[in-house]
């Protein structure tokens, strides 16, 4: 088991000599020493012995670096296949779910950059994205980080998810900006749907700061 100092070292410190980014998630996996990767693996392998947030941090780092072990861990977590008694709702809060969402998108971006088959990637990341969008309806975190995947990369499979998400939160004042962002996206794709959703709750585009 790693000491608390080792955990901090492998999960938060930029490796020596790296100057192109101060954000650990943005580094190329080739710039992470193999020994450090193995230590992060050990946190996931022995996750019951570590702080819950550190475990998720370990998985999201690996995921952002395009390491399949991190992606699989987060996917299993979202599907409830691991850690059912270990991670509580107090740990999986809005910011933590958002961190997981960013990591899943980061994994896709890394794989796509390395010329992995597009259809394979879509089928791989759809289940965790679907799960996160459904959780976002209840937890209130913003999912706009996936919208560019629809507009720029043809992830049209996500459109029904966003429509369902908007329909669920449209009357929730606390999710004003989430509603705003979803409307702006869907207006460019299916304006009739937006009109229908707003009519059902007696709202107008101007109620969300949007106008032609």
């Amino acid at each position: 088991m790693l000491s608390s100092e080792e955990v901090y070292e492998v999960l938060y410190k930029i490796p020596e000599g790296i100057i192109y980014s101060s954000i650990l998630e943005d580094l190329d996996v080739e710039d992470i020493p193999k020994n450090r990767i193995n230590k992060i693996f050990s946190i996931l392998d022995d996750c019951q012995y570590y702080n819950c947030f550190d475990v998720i941090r370990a998985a999201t780092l690996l995921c952002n670096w395009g390491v399949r072990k991190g992606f699989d861990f987060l996917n299993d977590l979202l599907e409830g296949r691991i850690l059912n008694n270990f991670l509580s709702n107090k740990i999986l809060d809005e910011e933590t779910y958002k961190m997981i969402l960013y990591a899943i998108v980061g994994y896709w971006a890394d794989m796509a950059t390395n010329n992995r088959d597009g259809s394979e990637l879509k089928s791989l990341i759809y289940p965790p994205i679907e799960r996160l969008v459904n959780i976002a309806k209840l937890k209130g975190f913003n999912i706009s980080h996936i919208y560019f995947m629809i507009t720029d990369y043809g992830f049209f499979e996500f459109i029904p998810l966003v429509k369902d998400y908007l329909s669920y939160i449209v009357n929730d004042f606390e999710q004003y900006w989430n509603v705003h962002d979803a409307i702006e996206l869907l207006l460019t794709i299916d304006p009739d749907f937006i009109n229908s959703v707003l009519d059902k709750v007696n709202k107008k585009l101007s109620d969300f700061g949007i106008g032609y």
Side-chain angles (χ1 to χ4, degrees), residues 160-177:
L161 299 180
V162 180
K163 286 182 174 181
D164 179 66
Y165 166 79
L166 176 61
S167 298
Y168 190 91
I169 69 171
V170 66
N171 220 21
D172 183 351
F173 180 77
E174 292 185 357
Q175 299 209 51
Y176 174 91
W177 286 109

PDB file of all heavy atoms in Angstrom, residues 160-177:
ATOM      1  N   PRO A 160     -30.888  12.045 -28.599  1.00  0.00           N
ATOM      2  CA  PRO A 160     -32.026  11.639 -27.765  1.00  0.00           C
ATOM      3  C   PRO A 160     -31.736  11.740 -26.269  1.00  0.00           C
ATOM      4  O   PRO A 160     -32.650  12.047 -25.477  1.00  0.00           O
ATOM      5  CB  PRO A 160     -32.268  10.180 -28.181  1.00  0.00           C
ATOM      6  CG  PRO A 160     -31.712  10.081 -29.559  1.00  0.00           C
ATOM      7  CD  PRO A 160     -30.512  10.982 -29.560  1.00  0.00           C
ATOM      8  N   LEU A 161     -30.497  11.512 -25.881  1.00  0.00           N
ATOM      9  CA  LEU A 161     -30.132  11.642 -24.465  1.00  0.00           C
ATOM     10  C   LEU A 161     -30.288  13.087 -24.003  1.00  0.00           C
ATOM     11  O   LEU A 161     -30.824  13.354 -22.915  1.00  0.00           O
ATOM     12  CB  LEU A 161     -28.691  11.192 -24.239  1.00  0.00           C
ATOM     13  CG  LEU A 161     -28.326   9.750 -24.567  1.00  0.00           C
ATOM     14  CD1 LEU A 161     -26.832   9.505 -24.273  1.00  0.00           C
ATOM     15  CD2 LEU A 161     -29.174   8.786 -23.764  1.00  0.00           C
ATOM     16  N   VAL A 162     -29.814  14.023 -24.835  1.00  0.00           N
ATOM     17  CA  VAL A 162     -29.899  15.439 -24.472  1.00  0.00           C
ATOM     18  C   VAL A 162     -31.358  15.904 -24.481  1.00  0.00           C
ATOM     19  O   VAL A 162     -31.775  16.692 -23.622  1.00  0.00           O
ATOM     20  CB  VAL A 162     -29.043  16.299 -25.417  1.00  0.00           C
ATOM     21  CG1 VAL A 162     -29.141  17.774 -25.029  1.00  0.00           C
ATOM     22  CG2 VAL A 162     -27.585  15.846 -25.379  1.00  0.00           C
ATOM     23  N   LYS A 163     -32.140  15.407 -25.411  1.00  0.00           N
ATOM     24  CA  LYS A 163     -33.567  15.766 -25.446  1.00  0.00           C
ATOM     25  C   LYS A 163     -34.275  15.292 -24.181  1.00  0.00           C
ATOM     26  O   LYS A 163     -35.062  16.038 -23.566  1.00  0.00           O
ATOM     27  CB  LYS A 163     -34.231  15.161 -26.679  1.00  0.00           C
ATOM     28  CG  LYS A 163     -33.889  15.847 -27.984  1.00  0.00           C
ATOM     29  CD  LYS A 163     -34.638  15.215 -29.152  1.00  0.00           C
ATOM     30  CE  LYS A 163     -34.425  15.973 -30.437  1.00  0.00           C
ATOM     31  NZ  LYS A 163     -35.169  15.378 -31.582  1.00  0.00           N
ATOM     32  N   ASP A 164     -34.010  14.065 -23.793  1.00  0.00           N
ATOM     33  CA  ASP A 164     -34.624  13.531 -22.575  1.00  0.00           C
ATOM     34  C   ASP A 164     -34.154  14.312 -21.355  1.00  0.00           C
ATOM     35  O   ASP A 164     -34.950  14.621 -20.451  1.00  0.00           O
ATOM     36  CB  ASP A 164     -34.279  12.053 -22.435  1.00  0.00           C
ATOM     37  CG  ASP A 164     -34.867  11.434 -21.182  1.00  0.00           C
ATOM     38  OD1 ASP A 164     -36.106  11.343 -21.095  1.00  0.00           O
ATOM     39  OD2 ASP A 164     -34.080  11.040 -20.288  1.00  0.00           O
ATOM     40  N   TYR A 165     -32.883  14.624 -21.322  1.00  0.00           N
ATOM     41  CA  TYR A 165     -32.295  15.413 -20.230  1.00  0.00           C
ATOM     42  C   TYR A 165     -32.973  16.779 -20.121  1.00  0.00           C
ATOM     43  O   TYR A 165     -33.392  17.201 -19.036  1.00  0.00           O
ATOM     44  CB  TYR A 165     -30.803  15.560 -20.518  1.00  0.00           C
ATOM     45  CG  TYR A 165     -30.032  16.580 -19.730  1.00  0.00           C
ATOM     46  CD1 TYR A 165     -29.607  16.327 -18.432  1.00  0.00           C
ATOM     47  CD2 TYR A 165     -29.661  17.798 -20.324  1.00  0.00           C
ATOM     48  CE1 TYR A 165     -28.849  17.254 -17.730  1.00  0.00           C
ATOM     49  CE2 TYR A 165     -28.907  18.724 -19.636  1.00  0.00           C
ATOM     50  CZ  TYR A 165     -28.506  18.455 -18.342  1.00  0.00           C
ATOM     51  OH  TYR A 165     -27.755  19.380 -17.655  1.00  0.00           O
ATOM     52  N   LEU A 166     -33.126  17.474 -21.245  1.00  0.00           N
ATOM     53  CA  LEU A 166     -33.759  18.788 -21.240  1.00  0.00           C
ATOM     54  C   LEU A 166     -35.214  18.690 -20.805  1.00  0.00           C
ATOM     55  O   LEU A 166     -35.689  19.506 -19.999  1.00  0.00           O
ATOM     56  CB  LEU A 166     -33.667  19.430 -22.626  1.00  0.00           C
ATOM     57  CG  LEU A 166     -34.386  20.772 -22.776  1.00  0.00           C
ATOM     58  CD1 LEU A 166     -33.815  21.814 -21.825  1.00  0.00           C
ATOM     59  CD2 LEU A 166     -34.307  21.257 -24.220  1.00  0.00           C
ATOM     60  N   SER A 167     -35.924  17.716 -21.322  1.00  0.00           N
ATOM     61  CA  SER A 167     -37.336  17.558 -20.963  1.00  0.00           C
ATOM     62  C   SER A 167     -37.513  17.369 -19.459  1.00  0.00           C
ATOM     63  O   SER A 167     -38.495  17.828 -18.877  1.00  0.00           O
ATOM     64  CB  SER A 167     -37.941  16.364 -21.706  1.00  0.00           C
ATOM     65  OG  SER A 167     -37.910  16.563 -23.100  1.00  0.00           O
ATOM     66  N   TYR A 168     -36.539  16.714 -18.847  1.00  0.00           N
ATOM     67  CA  TYR A 168     -36.619  16.429 -17.414  1.00  0.00           C
ATOM     68  C   TYR A 168     -36.309  17.657 -16.565  1.00  0.00           C
ATOM     69  O   TYR A 168     -36.937  17.870 -15.513  1.00  0.00           O
ATOM     70  CB  TYR A 168     -35.645  15.301 -17.067  1.00  0.00           C
ATOM     71  CG  TYR A 168     -35.802  14.753 -15.669  1.00  0.00           C
ATOM     72  CD1 TYR A 168     -36.646  13.673 -15.412  1.00  0.00           C
ATOM     73  CD2 TYR A 168     -35.098  15.308 -14.594  1.00  0.00           C
ATOM     74  CE1 TYR A 168     -36.793  13.172 -14.135  1.00  0.00           C
ATOM     75  CE2 TYR A 168     -35.241  14.816 -13.316  1.00  0.00           C
ATOM     76  CZ  TYR A 168     -36.080  13.745 -13.094  1.00  0.00           C
ATOM     77  OH  TYR A 168     -36.230  13.256 -11.815  1.00  0.00           O
ATOM     78  N   ILE A 169     -35.363  18.493 -16.995  1.00  0.00           N
ATOM     79  CA  ILE A 169     -34.890  19.589 -16.138  1.00  0.00           C
ATOM     80  C   ILE A 169     -35.455  20.948 -16.518  1.00  0.00           C
ATOM     81  O   ILE A 169     -35.205  21.928 -15.803  1.00  0.00           O
ATOM     82  CB  ILE A 169     -33.344  19.679 -16.169  1.00  0.00           C
ATOM     83  CG1 ILE A 169     -32.844  20.157 -17.545  1.00  0.00           C
ATOM     84  CG2 ILE A 169     -32.719  18.347 -15.777  1.00  0.00           C
ATOM     85  CD1 ILE A 169     -31.354  20.474 -17.576  1.00  0.00           C
ATOM     86  N   VAL A 170     -36.217  21.044 -17.600  1.00  0.00           N
ATOM     87  CA  VAL A 170     -36.589  22.343 -18.152  1.00  0.00           C
ATOM     88  C   VAL A 170     -37.326  23.235 -17.161  1.00  0.00           C
ATOM     89  O   VAL A 170     -37.231  24.462 -17.228  1.00  0.00           O
ATOM     90  CB  VAL A 170     -37.431  22.165 -19.444  1.00  0.00           C
ATOM     91  CG1 VAL A 170     -38.778  21.525 -19.136  1.00  0.00           C
ATOM     92  CG2 VAL A 170     -37.592  23.490 -20.179  1.00  0.00           C
ATOM     93  N   ASN A 171     -38.023  22.645 -16.209  1.00  0.00           N
ATOM     94  CA  ASN A 171     -38.789  23.441 -15.250  1.00  0.00           C
ATOM     95  C   ASN A 171     -38.092  23.567 -13.908  1.00  0.00           C
ATOM     96  O   ASN A 171     -38.696  24.000 -12.924  1.00  0.00           O
ATOM     97  CB  ASN A 171     -40.175  22.819 -15.042  1.00  0.00           C
ATOM     98  CG  ASN A 171     -41.264  23.885 -14.936  1.00  0.00           C
ATOM     99  OD1 ASN A 171     -41.088  25.021 -15.375  1.00  0.00           O
ATOM    100  ND2 ASN A 171     -42.390  23.515 -14.343  1.00  0.00           N
ATOM    101  N   ASP A 172     -36.820  23.200 -13.867  1.00  0.00           N
ATOM    102  CA  ASP A 172     -36.048  23.256 -12.627  1.00  0.00           C
ATOM    103  C   ASP A 172     -35.205  24.531 -12.644  1.00  0.00           C
ATOM    104  O   ASP A 172     -34.189  24.615 -13.312  1.00  0.00           O
ATOM    105  CB  ASP A 172     -35.146  22.021 -12.521  1.00  0.00           C
ATOM    106  CG  ASP A 172     -34.365  21.959 -11.216  1.00  0.00           C
ATOM    107  OD1 ASP A 172     -34.373  22.949 -10.459  1.00  0.00           O
ATOM    108  OD2 ASP A 172     -33.743  20.906 -10.959  1.00  0.00           O
ATOM    109  N   PHE A 173     -35.626  25.512 -11.851  1.00  0.00           N
ATOM    110  CA  PHE A 173     -34.952  26.807 -11.865  1.00  0.00           C
ATOM    111  C   PHE A 173     -33.485  26.687 -11.461  1.00  0.00           C
ATOM    112  O   PHE A 173     -32.637  27.433 -11.954  1.00  0.00           O
ATOM    113  CB  PHE A 173     -35.661  27.795 -10.931  1.00  0.00           C
ATOM    114  CG  PHE A 173     -35.020  29.148 -10.885  1.00  0.00           C
ATOM    115  CD1 PHE A 173     -35.210  30.053 -11.925  1.00  0.00           C
ATOM    116  CD2 PHE A 173     -34.197  29.511  -9.819  1.00  0.00           C
ATOM    117  CE1 PHE A 173     -34.595  31.302 -11.899  1.00  0.00           C
ATOM    118  CE2 PHE A 173     -33.592  30.758  -9.789  1.00  0.00           C
ATOM    119  CZ  PHE A 173     -33.786  31.653 -10.824  1.00  0.00           C
ATOM    120  N   GLU A 174     -33.176  25.770 -10.571  1.00  0.00           N
ATOM    121  CA  GLU A 174     -31.798  25.607 -10.122  1.00  0.00           C
ATOM    122  C   GLU A 174     -30.879  25.123 -11.248  1.00  0.00           C
ATOM    123  O   GLU A 174     -29.654  25.207 -11.133  1.00  0.00           O
ATOM    124  CB  GLU A 174     -31.735  24.640  -8.937  1.00  0.00           C
ATOM    125  CG  GLU A 174     -32.385  25.205  -7.676  1.00  0.00           C
ATOM    126  CD  GLU A 174     -32.201  24.292  -6.483  1.00  0.00           C
ATOM    127  OE1 GLU A 174     -31.620  23.201  -6.650  1.00  0.00           O
ATOM    128  OE2 GLU A 174     -32.627  24.678  -5.383  1.00  0.00           O
ATOM    129  N   GLN A 175     -31.464  24.590 -12.310  1.00  0.00           N
ATOM    130  CA  GLN A 175     -30.661  24.130 -13.450  1.00  0.00           C
ATOM    131  C   GLN A 175     -30.789  25.075 -14.649  1.00  0.00           C
ATOM    132  O   GLN A 175     -30.669  24.648 -15.801  1.00  0.00           O
ATOM    133  CB  GLN A 175     -31.071  22.703 -13.841  1.00  0.00           C
ATOM    134  CG  GLN A 175     -30.853  21.675 -12.735  1.00  0.00           C
ATOM    135  CD  GLN A 175     -30.588  20.301 -13.289  1.00  0.00           C
ATOM    136  OE1 GLN A 175     -29.731  20.121 -14.145  1.00  0.00           O
ATOM    137  NE2 GLN A 175     -31.329  19.321 -12.797  1.00  0.00           N
ATOM    138  N   TYR A 176     -31.003  26.348 -14.351  1.00  0.00           N
ATOM    139  CA  TYR A 176     -31.223  27.345 -15.392  1.00  0.00           C
ATOM    140  C   TYR A 176     -30.158  27.275 -16.492  1.00  0.00           C
ATOM    141  O   TYR A 176     -30.481  27.208 -17.683  1.00  0.00           O
ATOM    142  CB  TYR A 176     -31.236  28.744 -14.766  1.00  0.00           C
ATOM    143  CG  TYR A 176     -31.309  29.881 -15.762  1.00  0.00           C
ATOM    144  CD1 TYR A 176     -32.540  30.405 -16.163  1.00  0.00           C
ATOM    145  CD2 TYR A 176     -30.144  30.440 -16.318  1.00  0.00           C
ATOM    146  CE1 TYR A 176     -32.612  31.455 -17.075  1.00  0.00           C
ATOM    147  CE2 TYR A 176     -30.205  31.485 -17.228  1.00  0.00           C
ATOM    148  CZ  TYR A 176     -31.434  31.987 -17.602  1.00  0.00           C
ATOM    149  OH  TYR A 176     -31.498  33.017 -18.507  1.00  0.00           O
ATOM    150  N   TRP A 177     -28.886  27.279 -16.111  1.00  0.00           N
ATOM    151  CA  TRP A 177     -27.830  27.324 -17.115  1.00  0.00           C
ATOM    152  C   TRP A 177     -27.691  25.999 -17.844  1.00  0.00           C
ATOM    153  O   TRP A 177     -27.316  25.964 -19.025  1.00  0.00           O
ATOM    154  CB  TRP A 177     -26.502  27.747 -16.496  1.00  0.00           C
ATOM    155  CG  TRP A 177     -26.481  29.210 -16.189  1.00  0.00           C
ATOM    156  CD1 TRP A 177     -26.515  29.800 -14.962  1.00  0.00           C
ATOM    157  CD2 TRP A 177     -26.494  30.278 -17.151  1.00  0.00           C
ATOM    158  NE1 TRP A 177     -26.537  31.171 -15.090  1.00  0.00           N
ATOM    159  CE2 TRP A 177     -26.518  31.499 -16.416  1.00  0.00           C
ATOM    160  CE3 TRP A 177     -26.473  30.341 -18.543  1.00  0.00           C
ATOM    161  CZ2 TRP A 177     -26.527  32.742 -17.046  1.00  0.00           C
ATOM    162  CZ3 TRP A 177     -26.484  31.581 -19.166  1.00  0.00           C
ATOM    163  CH2 TRP A 177     -26.511  32.766 -18.423  1.00  0.00           C
TER     164      TRP A 177
END
